Each structure stands twice: as structure tokens, then as C-alpha cells.
Amino acid sequence: MRITLVISTLDGGGAERVAANMANDWAAKGWDVTILTTDFGGQSSCYTLHPRVTHLDLKSPRFDHLPSDWKRSAPVVGLIDSCSQSEREVLIPRATAILKLRGAISSTAPEVVISYIDRTNIRVLAATRGLGLPVIVSEQIDPHESFIGAEWELLRRRLYPQASHVTVLTEESLDYFSSLAGIRGRVIPNPVTPPPFSSADEISRQKNGRLLLAMGRLDHQKGFDLLLRAFALIAERHPGWTLEIVGEGPVRPYLESCVQNRGLAGRVRLPGFTRRPFDALRRADLFAMSSLDEGFPNVLLEAMACGLAVVSFDCPSGPRHIIRHGIDGILVPPRDAEALAAALDHLMGDEAERQQLAARAPEVTERFGIETIMRMWDALLFDCVKADHSRPAPGLTEHT
């Protein structure tokens, strides 16, 4: 099978990791897989790609020419003509880029196209209009919690019914699209890849104490300022513990100031992005997730797969679908730094309970293992390829 995955970048984000893992799995089966990035500027992937995966970037010289077949581009022009003025204000400045994307996707000769993340999904559906290609769009966040702009939302509601399928991570996300007639939705969680070491292996710990680990892009959505606030409340009670937040992003200066202002210098490290997350997870004794909202967080899956007890805010979706409260982790009220501090304080001081939760955590690989999840994706791909593109009765008619 020939598959083209479209995503804006291959930097250190969660959706990018999902795309890379999926591409690698299909490439390992001998399928022809292309990842087409739209805004990556020819950079190298932050994630290792299988040798059979072709990575192309829309801004590379390969795609410098504009489409010359304007007749084939007529469906895109027709779409713009049919839109409201507010929708046109989004599409017209991007028309050239959309036509370029159309040509780039066509050049990969895919049997099926998979697109990731809301605004990219909209551009891909506009670009592929009239090409007769099955297109699957993947929502990687909770749409209830992420406002993409009124004009973009109008376009999403106009174009998503054009997709062969819309995949979402949870039933709550599926419900967001329940009012869109003609849409075909399917719930497929993100997969977790097994750690590259056995759970029976001796795990290397910090030489001079215990490590509380968090990981993710350094931006407001990840709530690391709340984690720092929580850690500051309990740090004096646990002098042997250090907090490490692995990742990079725009709020690094703000987080560094929080470390200083809360008197945590020497107790908190911000080492930056890593291409080897499992190495960092292997060093940890406890994992914390402080996100304000999430889709289906890969790093939480991976932390649990590594046999870590985890504490997380109970976001509207995501962690609550992964953590079994009191069995393999702890959920606390969202955005409540004091509750987060109390849960961390308890587990940092109770090794027996920490180990009890950690012992059950790797069971996450049974529920969301890559083989299980990729079987869902394989079934969807084959359904799309053999379908005649006719629409079912309106509504969200398919669930997995």
C-alpha cells in the first residue's frame, strides 16, 4: 500500500511522534510510506524514521514550481467561490500554498492520505478536493478545549464531511462532531511503543537522590508552572528529590524565572528536548503530568510502559482514559496545584505505594500497545481504499 502522511512539522511534538511511529510500523511491513511536512523548512526529523519512509518538505526545491494544470485545480477555486467572506479571508491568502500542497500530494501517488492536526487537516481537505483520493483526518487534541478560530471552525465544519474518515482519540472528542451531517468518525487511541528494555532490567536511578520527572513541549498548555508551584510546596519535605522537566519550547524563560522566584534553584533541571525519551523515563522514580488539556498523551503512556507510578491532572479527556485511578496512577482535580502537591507529597514519601502503582502501570501496553492500535488503523485503511467514496447516512456512524 502507498500512504502519504501530511503534518506541519516533525519537531518534538506528540502528534509528530505518533505520525513517525505509525509511518515506521507501516514501512516495516514493506509498504511505501511518505511523510510530507508543510512547514518544516527542510529540517531533519526529531524522531528516527525507518529507511523505507520518505520524508519530503513542501518548502524544498522539489516543490518550487506551482501547479500548471489549472483545470485540475478548479475544485479548489470552486471551493473558495462557495465559501463565506470570512472563510475566504482564511483561504485566499493560502490559495497558492494549498495548490502547491495539492501538487505535492499528487506527486507521491498515494492510495490513501492521512492528515494530522486541525488546521493542517483543513488545508489537506481543500487541497485534495476533487482528486478522488481517500483522505483520513486525525484530530490529535480535544477539540472541546482548543479553539482554532471562528473562520477555521467554519471551514472545518464545511470540509470534514468530505473526509473518508475523521479519527479522534476519545469518545468525548467524537461527540464534538456529532452535529456534522455526513461525517464518518472513528475512535482510535494513540499507540504506545514498548520501552527498549525489559521491565526485569535493573533501572539506573539518580545517584544522589530521587527523581520526579515531567516531559513535554514547554508551552502554556502543559502547565509546568503549576507543577513548579506544586513542587515548591513540598520540596522542603523531600530534600532528596529533584524535579526534571524534559522538553523545549517558548515558555522556557518564564519557567526559568519561576524556578528562581520559588527558590528552586538546584532542585529543578530543564535539560531541553531529547530524542531518547525512554532513557530519561528510565532514570525516574515518579512521573507527573500537569497539562491543562490533552488529547491522548504519548509521554504518559510511555511513562507507564516504563513501570512508573504517575500523577496527573484529570483533564477533560486523555489521562482519565489511560490512568486507572488508584490502580496504576493517581488523578487529581484539573489545574489544582495544591491537590497535585498533596498527591506527589504522598507518593514521594511512601515507596511501598509508589511501587504498588508502578507494578500495574505497564499493563497500559496491553490496552494501547502498538500492535493493537495499528490493527485498528490497518482495518480503517483497507476500508478506505476499497470503498467507492459514497457517503453513508448522515451522522457519526462508525465506532472502534
Side-chain angles (χ1 to χ4, degrees):
M1 184 176 291
R2 296 186 308 279
I3 310 171
T4 295
L5 313 181
V6 185
I7 193 165
S8 60
T9 75
L10 279 175
D11 64 13
E16 291 84 350
R17 185 184 303 179
V18 170
N21 288 343
M22 291 170 61
N24 289 342
D25 185 83
W26 286 320
K29 295 175 182 177
W31 296 4
D32 293 325
V33 184
T34 298
I35 297 181
L36 176 62
T37 50
T38 61
D39 298 289
F40 205 35
Q43 300 177 59
S44 298
S45 171
C46 287
Y47 301 110
T48 301
L49 298 178
H50 190 283
R52 289 185 58 94
V53 175
T54 300
H55 175 207
L56 303 174
D57 189 78
L58 195 62
K59 295 183 178 179
S60 69
R62 173 183 177 133
F63 300 120
D64 279 347
H65 64 282
L66 290 174
S68 58
D69 186 354
W70 285 94
K71 183 176 181 181
R72 293 195 71 204
S73 301
V76 177
V77 177
L79 169 65
I80 295 173
D81 288 343
S82 68
C83 285
S84 66
Q85 182 59 37
S86 60
E87 292 170 299
R88 290 177 190 172
E89 289 174 359
V90 170
L91 289 175
I92 290 175
R94 297 169 175 83
T96 297
I98 288 171
L99 292 178
K100 188 175 182 179
L101 177 59
R102 181 183 182 87
I105 291 172
S106 297
S107 74
T108 65
E111 294 178 80
V112 62
V113 177
I114 303 174
S115 174
Y116 298 86
I117 309 178
D118 39 47
R119 292 190 180 188
T120 299
N121 294 342
I122 292 166
R123 290 193 291 263
V124 168
L125 288 171
T128 55
R129 191 174 174 90
L131 291 181
L133 288 173
V135 178
I136 301 168
V137 297
S138 175
E139 285 279 343
Q140 286 289 311
I141 56 175
D142 180 358
H144 293 282
E145 301 297 321
S146 179
F147 179 61
I148 63 173
E151 297 82 4
W152 284 98
E153 182 62 28
L154 286 172
L155 284 167
R156 177 159 62 179
R157 292 185 169 273
R158 178 186 293 274
L159 291 174
Y160 269 31
Q162 175 184 312
S164 296
H165 278 83
V166 176
T167 66
V168 294
L169 300 171
T170 65
E171 290 288 344
E172 289 90 340
S173 294
L174 188 69
D175 182 66
Y176 182 85
F177 300 107
S178 61
S179 63
L180 272 67
I183 204 172
R184 291 188 285 188
R186 190 171 292 196
V187 177
I188 305 182
N190 284 339
V192 57
T193 55
F197 49 82
S198 168
S199 60
D201 289 347
E202 182 180 353
I203 297 179
S204 172
R205 300 297 186 186
Q206 291 294 103
K207 296 290 186 182
N208 300 315
R210 297 290 188 175
L211 177 61
L212 170 63
L213 187 73
M215 187 179 297
R217 179 170 169 78
L218 304 186
D219 63 21
H220 174 70
Q221 179 259 336
K222 296 301 181 183
F224 291 134
D225 55 339
L226 295 176
L227 177 58
L228 289 171
R229 177 180 169 188
F231 187 66
L233 292 172
I234 59 174
E236 290 187 3
R237 288 172 47 82
H238 303 279
W241 283 77
T242 299
L243 169 61
E244 187 171 297
I245 303 174
V246 178
E248 196 52 77
V251 301
R252 169 179 281 277
Y254 169 61
L255 295 178
E256 290 174 339
S257 70
C258 288
V259 171
Q260 296 298 322
N261 294 339
R262 294 191 179 279
L264 295 173
R267 300 291 305 276
V268 175
R269 293 192 297 271
L270 300 170
F273 174 76
T274 178
R275 293 174 182 266
R276 300 172 63 89
F278 283 116
D279 287 355
L281 292 166
R282 195 181 192 191
R283 293 186 290 106
D285 298 277
L286 181 62
F287 185 85
M289 172 158 280
S290 54
S291 298
L292 308 184
D293 58 83
E294 279 289 348
F296 208 85
N298 302 293
V299 68
L300 180 60
L301 292 166
E302 291 167 349
M304 295 174 69
C306 288
L308 282 174
V310 296
V311 179
S312 174
F313 283 146
D314 186 13
C315 303
S317 70
R320 66 175 57 179
H321 298 278
I322 299 170
I323 294 173
R324 297 171 297 181
H325 179 69
I327 297 174
D328 52 20
I330 301 296
L331 293 167
V332 299
R335 308 187 184 213
D336 189 336
E338 286 73 19
L340 180 61
L344 292 173
D345 183 31
H346 176 69
L347 289 181
M348 289 161 68
D350 190 335
E351 183 171 0
E353 184 166 353
R354 204 167 64 240
Q355 293 301 324
Q356 182 178 345
L357 295 173
R360 300 292 302 274
E363 294 171 11
V364 76
T365 61
E366 301 170 13
R367 294 181 287 140
F368 305 112
I370 193 163
E371 292 185 2
T372 299
I373 302 303
M374 292 309 293
R375 279 197 298 269
M376 297 181 185
W377 273 103
D378 290 352
L380 177 57
L381 290 182
F382 284 114
D383 284 350
C384 289
V385 169
K386 69 183 179 182
D388 63 359
H389 309 301
S390 60
R391 286 285 180 255
L396 292 171
T397 58
E398 302 185 50
H399 293 65
T400 297

